[in-house]
Amino acid sequence: MMSSTKECQFVSLISYDGHEFIISRQCAMYSGTIKSMLEGPGRFLEGERNEIALREIEAKILEQVCIYLYFKKRYDNSKEKIPDFKIDEEIVLPLLMAANFLDV
């Protein structure tokens, strides 16, 4: 592991059911909650480890959050037409709750 959080390019997000998603730090920063944990004034342990356990979010929801964070990065400040972000109807409510918690 890198000695400084500023050097690390990736962040590990761990769902409550133990699945680990490694995403770019730049994408992770689109979440206000994750950004606060990694860079906030409280010096969270997560910021030192670049690992965040999201004990309230199951893997299939966290996977969609990660996909959306990359989608957001891709189309942020884009001049091209932004396509719809497709979401399965069965996960709309838990995804909305996760997005609210993560401030996405």
Side-chain angles (χ1 to χ4, degrees):
M1 180 167 286
M2 304 267 178
S3 61
S4 170
T5 58
K6 299 290 184 208
E7 295 176 45
C8 191
Q9 295 178 10
F10 297 95
V11 175
S12 176
L13 305 178
I14 303 170
S15 67
Y16 91 85
D17 43 352
H19 293 271
E20 182 176 22
F21 298 88
I22 300 172
I23 66 170
S24 78
R25 186 179 184 90
Q26 189 178 20
C27 286
M29 293 304 190
Y30 281 99
S31 161
T33 302
I34 293 172
K35 183 175 183 176
S36 293
M37 289 178 166
L38 294 175
E39 295 185 339
R43 298 292 302 155
F44 288 96
L45 186 58
E46 290 88 351
E48 293 176 18
R49 293 184 179 171
N50 288 300
E51 180 180 289
I52 299 174
L54 298 164
R55 294 183 174 94
E56 302 294 323
I57 304 174
E58 66 180 299
K60 71 179 181 179
I61 303 303
L62 188 53
E63 178 180 28
Q64 286 300 303
V65 169
C66 292
I67 291 168
Y68 177 75
L69 291 172
Y70 276 96
F71 179 88
K72 176 124 174 91
K73 180 182 178 288
R74 164 73 173 89
Y75 291 104
D76 194 35
N77 299 320
S78 176
K79 302 244 188 264
E80 63 186 275
K81 185 178 186 294
I82 301 172
D84 291 337
F85 184 77
K86 306 278 190 225
I87 302 170
D88 291 336
E89 287 183 26
E90 66 187 41
I91 66 165
V92 169
L93 184 57
L95 186 58
L96 179 62
M97 290 169 40
N100 183 52
F101 170 72
L102 293 171
D103 190 22
V104 176

